[in-house]
Amino acid sequence: MVEPTRTLKKPHFIKCEKIGPGEHGYNVYLKVVSVKHSTTTKADGKDLKIAEAVCGDETACVNVRAIGDNADFFKEGDIISIRNGRSEVFKEKMRLEIDRWGKVIREPAAKIDKVNQDKNLSATSYEVKVVRK
């Protein structure tokens, strides 16, 4: 029996200003403006790498957090692509996160000349509201 072949679709990339709180599945090209690397120790005693960065494009910028091997891709001035990123609200501020299901790649062919730091999506405060039916 022959199994049907699956054709892969190309990812659809959006601009940074289209990122909203509490959603997932974002594909976006970003330029790293600033980055802070750190490590923490997990419960099993292994070290976990963390990168917290400010990244953006011509439309806006956002705080980004990556853990594990994805943290190594964040270097100041590099252009990266984030696939399957998710936005979370943490301490009333939105940030784009890359967890184990997300993917980060350096994109030297992509062009982002200037990052719009005046419109920081992470500067907006969000309130978590529980709606009961």
Side-chain angles (χ1 to χ4, degrees):
M1 180 174 218
V2 177
E3 290 190 32
T5 60
R6 197 188 294 184
T7 57
L8 298 175
K9 293 189 288 184
K10 289 194 171 232
H12 173 71
F13 285 87
I14 63 168
K15 292 291 186 181
C16 188
E17 69 180 352
K18 300 290 185 189
I19 297 172
E23 298 178 12
H24 65 280
Y26 288 113
N27 298 319
V28 64
Y29 291 112
L30 298 172
K31 184 173 189 174
V32 180
V33 177
S34 64
V35 64
K36 179 185 164 198
H37 291 277
S38 62
T39 58
T40 187
T41 305
K42 298 192 313 186
D44 62 0
K46 294 181 182 176
D47 286 339
L48 180 66
K49 295 180 273 187
I50 300 172
E52 294 185 10
V54 176
C55 302
D57 60 15
E58 306 87 13
T59 61
C61 65
V62 66
N63 293 349
V64 181
R65 183 173 191 262
I67 59 172
D69 292 336
N70 287 330
D72 295 334
F73 288 97
F74 287 82
K75 292 191 179 21
E76 223 171 279
D78 282 358
I79 296 176
I80 58 172
S81 68
I82 296 176
R83 296 185 187 193
N84 200 24
R86 64 181 179 144
S87 62
E88 292 291 329
V89 176
F90 178 72
K91 293 185 179 178
E92 297 183 354
K93 304 292 182 185
M94 180 181 68
R95 68 181 178 194
L96 187 60
E97 295 185 349
I98 301 96
D99 54 16
R100 64 178 141 179
W101 292 282
K103 185 176 183 178
V104 179
I105 302 172
R106 280 198 188 92
E107 294 286 347
K111 298 290 181 204
I112 299 175
D113 295 323
K114 187 175 185 235
V115 175
N116 183 0
Q117 295 186 40
D118 296 331
K119 186 177 180 183
N120 189 340
L121 302 177
S122 298
T124 305
S125 292
Y126 293 93
E127 179 181 336
V128 177
K129 200 171 198 179
V130 177
V131 178
R132 296 178 192 227
K133 293 182 180 184

